[in-house]
Amino acid sequence: MSFDLVVWALATGATAANVRAAHESCRRGEHRAGPPDRRIVAFHAALTASYPERAANSPWAVTPLHVAVDHLEMNLTETCADEVLLTVERLAGMHGLLLLDLQDGSVYPPPATVGR
């Protein structure tokens, strides 16, 4: 089993419903075309600098991470440290990404105090 999170690069003002709808479209195989959103690229670079995808003690249950134009999916091991989750949340906020918890469908907006 894994603990699954997805960060989404949606337009400013996107709601939790927008995030869930984007995720459902992805699950149906409907994907946005074009170059990767710079926020996703920066998030991926920062995240894998802290937690490389192919490290011996990697928190990742599945590698490589699923990186798309507007989102990045992370499948974490059940035993990953809380520090990893805090890093994901912090980096999502830094890069203006919305965080979708696939276990219960919760959506977390970037913290208002980050980068403002």
Side-chain angles (χ1 to χ4, degrees):
M1 295 275 306
S2 63
F3 180 78
D4 306 325
L5 300 170
V6 184
V7 291
W8 283 89
L10 298 180
T12 301
T15 65
N18 298 135
V19 173
R20 290 185 198 101
H23 187 71
E24 285 305 312
S25 291
C26 176
R27 290 180 52 148
R28 289 190 305 269
E30 301 167 10
H31 302 286
R32 197 179 98 199
D37 189 288
R38 62 176 175 69
R39 296 171 291 173
I40 293 294
V41 173
F43 175 86
H44 182 248
L47 185 64
T48 56
S50 295
Y51 303 104
E53 292 181 75
R54 303 202 194 297
N57 293 326
S58 171
W60 313 120
V62 176
T63 59
L65 300 177
H66 171 76
V67 182
V69 170
D70 56 358
H71 67 279
L72 185 147
E73 183 172 340
M74 298 154 281
N75 308 103
L76 297 113
T77 63
E78 287 183 2
T79 59
C80 83
D82 287 343
E83 174 186 317
V84 178
L85 302 174
L86 293 172
T87 299
V88 167
E89 183 179 353
R90 179 180 56 80
L91 290 174
M94 284 178 57
H95 296 287
L97 302 170
L98 297 163
L99 180 62
L100 172 61
D101 180 336
L102 294 180
Q103 284 60 232
D104 65 6
S106 296
V107 176
Y108 304 94
T113 57
V114 175
R116 301 201 196 270

